[in-house]
Amino acid sequence: MTKQSAHSGPSKSKPLAYLEYALLALCLCSIAIRATFVEGPAIQSTSPAADLGDSIYSLIVSTVLIFSFVLWLVWSLCSGTFSYRPAGMEIGLGILCLAAVAAGFAAADKRLALTNITMLLAPPLMALLLVQILDSPSKVKLVLAVIATLGVVSAYQCAEQFFFSNQMTIEQYEQDPQSLLEPLGIEPGSLQQFMFEHRLYSEGVRGFFTTRNSAGSFALMAFAAAVALFIDKFRHRKSDPADRKHLLGCGLAAAVILLSLIMTRSKGAIAGLFFATAAFAALLLLGNRLKPYRKIILAACTLLVVAGGWALVQYGLSHGRLPGGSSMLVRWQYWHASAKMYADHPVAGVGPGNFTHYYPRYKPAAALESVADPHNFPLSLLTQYGPLGLVGFLAMIFIPLWRTTSPLTPGSPPHGWRASPAPVGPHQPAFRTLATAFAILIATALLTVRPILMHTALNESLDVVIYVIVTMYVAPAAVFVVGFVLLAGFSGKSSETTHKGQDTHTLVALSCAVLGVALHNLTDFALFEPGVSTTFWAMMACLVAISSGSNQRALVLLRPAPIVKAITAAAALAITCIYLSYVLVPAAASTAKI
């Protein structure tokens, strides 16, 4: 295997370029479906049938994302020259995989552990794939436009729930409680009924997600993507007249997404928004002055987090709760029980997805609710994957963020790598063509896949059937098309040319959104809900791609020998067989039997 000297940017073959467009479409359709269909982060509901259906659906989508990366990797290695853009997530992902193997062997319920591992690893692997595919500003803009547009679709669903469906559901429940409880497997008079009523009568909305906190996290990321697109159009309003007419539409879409975030009434998401906004303003105003002191700032922030965590723990131990309302009381119960759980399983945790089985042993006697997650992403990883899993997950997030603040000195790539422009395909279509094709494709996926997944009963009267089809299926697809036109702009110039300022503003907006979501998930589990997780790692991929393109990050350029190609193909085939035999097929077979 020999390294190729890279005095000029390598060129992708036509088959590889077309494959990458197909894989990009597959990833974006997966994000769109997951963001518009309720998909739980783990087996948490009271209905076994719903759990099994959710589990197999999640496995199928995760399998598609995983093997999209495997297909790209094998195809690229078997082509003439293999080029790979390091994302900064590889070390953390490797550590997380090792932790997952150890935790999987330690798990009591290994079937649940395999499912949880697959769902956790699929989005980061998709992010690595997207980093390789997003080799032009137009592709990055396309991904951001899809995320922001899905935020508009989620805003539509939030508004529909806020003004119509929530009240209709309450009226139906008050007239016939059993009609809603029986399909969910909830026994009358049980704790599950109490929790169901609590969620039913709460004033927040949850869009297409399991909780309003998850909807808030998603809205925060979609808002950041819309802001990045708005800044792009604002900076080109003079050079490209086509962007002027779309500037107002883009701002309107961002305002709609922001309104939906507020409608969720998620305190954590709103706090994350304030933090992201403050950080965005501070970095834009003082970024260049602060950059020489970034190591000192990082150390100070780390000490601040440790001191704040220690103070919260001391307060909780002294008062038996955290400061705040009833939500912080139950979170202290979750966290205190999780700490005792980890103390008994300090090496590999209790196993991925096995938190739900162990929590009843550790929860306080006064705690009414049994949960499947401690509502704190570091504790969730620590109790289920051990300290190695937590380190790996944090490394996947913070190493890429750190790299965006430390661009390479031109002409000084890391040892053994070659500084080179990103490889490009033989033909880059205009952004108008690309955006139109992807808008049609994703809208078609929403119209065809969601009805299959939702299994809505259409045995009612004709007017009810028409209402269900229009509101549940046609309207979200139509809103997606309209929102995409407003946000993407279908302009070619601004998407094919970039400026240093534009890259900086976009990087800052995306980085602050990532940190805001991480802050929110110190008190929630939204980061592990598939729709939020997949979008989160797509945002990370955009961040890395922009940083690598603007700073000409080094590429790994290799010319694999024939024996290496053969070994790669054989290894991929073996991995596929093992995965199907131990992960997907058994889960599908057991689900079909039950």
Side-chain angles (χ1 to χ4, degrees):
M1 186 179 295
T2 59
K3 296 185 178 68
Q4 176 184 351
S5 178
H7 298 290
S8 61
S11 178
K12 294 179 181 178
S13 63
K14 277 189 177 182
L16 179 59
Y18 293 147
L19 174 67
E20 289 187 350
Y21 278 113
L23 295 178
L24 177 60
L26 201 59
C27 290
L28 292 182
C29 285
S30 298
I31 294 172
I33 295 300
R34 281 191 152 175
T36 56
F37 177 74
V38 180
E39 182 182 356
I43 295 182
Q44 298 188 60
S45 78
T46 56
S47 171
D51 290 339
L52 291 167
D54 228 19
S55 178
I56 192 62
Y57 160 72
S58 298
L59 273 177
I60 291 173
V61 178
S62 298
T63 299
V64 168
L65 297 178
I66 291 171
F67 282 97
S68 294
F69 174 75
V70 172
L71 176 60
W72 177 88
L73 186 63
V74 173
W75 192 298
S76 300
L77 279 170
C78 293
S79 61
T81 301
F82 172 71
S83 62
Y84 180 83
R85 176 190 289 171
M89 296 185 288
E90 293 82 1
I91 295 176
L93 182 59
I95 295 174
L96 182 59
C97 287
L98 291 176
V101 172
F105 280 109
D109 187 341
K110 291 182 170 52
R111 170 56 49 208
L112 188 55
L114 286 173
T115 300
N116 192 278
I117 291 170
T118 303
M119 292 172 61
L120 181 68
L121 295 181
L125 287 173
M126 179 204 69
L128 289 183
L129 172 63
L130 288 178
V131 169
Q132 314 310 316
I133 294 177
L134 302 181
D135 52 16
S136 68
S138 62
K139 291 181 181 178
V140 175
K141 180 180 177 181
L142 178 66
V143 176
L144 293 178
V146 169
I147 293 174
T149 304
L150 291 172
V152 176
V153 179
S154 180
Y156 156 78
Q157 182 70 4
C158 288
E160 196 275 336
Q161 291 173 356
F162 185 81
F163 293 107
F164 301 106
S165 62
N166 281 2
Q167 185 58 38
M168 293 172 59
T169 305
I170 290 174
E171 292 175 359
Q172 179 184 353
Y173 179 75
E174 291 176 345
Q175 293 175 3
D176 185 10
Q178 201 62 19
S179 65
L180 294 179
L181 297 178
E182 186 174 353
L184 298 174
I186 298 177
E187 293 291 334
S190 64
L191 173 64
Q192 285 77 17
Q193 182 184 11
F194 171 78
M195 298 303 300
F196 174 81
E197 291 181 351
H198 172 73
R199 290 189 294 268
L200 181 64
Y201 288 103
S202 65
E203 297 180 348
V205 295
R206 57 184 179 86
F208 295 102
F209 299 91
T210 57
T211 67
R212 60 184 183 179
N213 286 322
S214 296
S217 275
F218 181 80
L220 176 55
M221 292 185 288
F223 178 69
V227 168
L229 294 170
F230 180 85
I231 293 173
D232 174 59
K233 296 183 189 305
F234 182 80
R235 294 181 64 85
H236 289 90
R237 68 191 186 282
K238 295 181 179 178
S239 60
D240 189 356
D243 269 344
R244 296 181 186 177
K245 60 183 180 181
H246 293 290
L247 186 61
L248 181 60
C250 190
L252 177 62
V256 168
I257 297 170
L258 180 61
L259 180 61
S260 73
L261 193 158
I262 297 172
M263 288 173 62
T264 63
R265 302 198 179 191
S266 169
K267 297 177 183 177
I270 293 174
L273 173 66
F274 277 114
F275 170 82
T277 303
F280 181 74
L283 289 175
L284 287 185
L285 294 175
L286 304 172
N288 291 331
R289 299 179 183 177
L290 297 177
K291 186 172 289 188
Y293 308 102
R294 57 194 181 90
K295 293 183 179 179
I296 298 175
I297 294 173
L298 176 63
C301 290
T302 303
L303 290 175
L304 184 63
V305 169
V306 172
W310 181 85
L312 282 176
V313 170
Q314 294 303 312
Y315 183 95
L317 292 174
S318 301
H319 298 81
R321 58 170 299 147
L322 295 175
S326 58
S327 63
M328 298 311 295
L329 167 63
V330 296
R331 274 168 174 75
W332 173 253
Q333 294 173 343
Y334 304 158
W335 298 349
H336 190 242
S338 299
K340 294 191 293 183
M341 185 189 301
Y342 173 69
D344 289 344
H345 305 83
V347 178
V350 298
N354 280 238
F355 185 95
T356 185
H357 298 322
Y358 282 82
Y359 180 74
R361 306 181 190 180
Y362 295 95
K363 73 174 185 178
L368 296 177
E369 186 180 9
S370 291
V371 293
D373 188 275
H375 291 63
N376 175 286
F377 85 90
L379 270 179
S380 180
L381 290 162
L382 198 63
T383 54
Q384 298 179 84
Y385 289 84
L388 203 61
L390 175 60
V391 169
F393 192 87
L394 293 178
M396 287 195 299
I397 297 175
F398 289 103
I399 290 179
L401 289 178
W402 181 258
R403 291 174 77 235
T404 63
T405 66
S406 54
L408 294 176
T409 303
S412 303
H415 179 69
W417 292 352
R418 294 287 184 265
S420 171
V424 296
H427 174 64
Q428 290 280 2
F431 182 73
R432 181 190 298 273
T433 303
L434 191 65
T436 302
F438 275 79
I440 295 173
L441 184 64
I442 295 173
T444 303
L446 293 178
L447 279 173
T448 56
V449 178
R450 293 183 69 249
I452 297 173
L453 296 173
M454 296 178 73
H455 301 293
T456 304
L458 299 179
N459 54 356
E460 302 290 340
S461 60
L462 180 61
D463 55 339
V464 174
V465 171
I466 294 175
Y467 173 80
V468 169
I469 292 176
V470 171
T471 57
M472 296 183 64
Y473 305 137
V474 177
V479 172
F480 178 87
V481 172
V482 173
F484 194 82
V485 171
L486 292 175
L487 285 156
F490 293 93
S491 172
K493 291 183 180 180
S494 64
S495 59
E496 299 301 335
T497 58
T498 59
H499 303 284
K500 185 65 177 178
Q502 172 194 342
D503 289 339
T504 300
H505 286 77
T506 303
L507 280 174
V508 171
L510 299 185
S511 300
C512 292
V514 166
L515 292 174
V517 171
L519 177 67
H520 172 207
N521 281 270
L522 291 177
T523 58
D524 199 66
F525 61 83
L527 192 56
F528 300 117
E529 184 160 340
V532 176
S533 175
T534 309
T535 305
F536 178 86
W537 289 106
M539 294 272 288
M540 289 291 298
C542 290
L543 191 152
V544 173
I546 295 171
S547 176
S548 299
S550 62
N551 295 315
Q552 288 297 301
R553 293 280 176 183
L555 290 172
V556 176
L557 296 177
L558 305 171
R559 192 179 295 276
I563 185 64
V564 174
K565 298 179 182 180
I567 293 174
T568 300
L573 181 61
I575 291 173
T576 301
C577 293
I578 294 172
Y579 179 88
L580 293 176
S581 300
Y582 289 95
V583 180
L584 187 60
V585 173
S590 61
T591 300
K593 290 178 180 179
I594 294 174

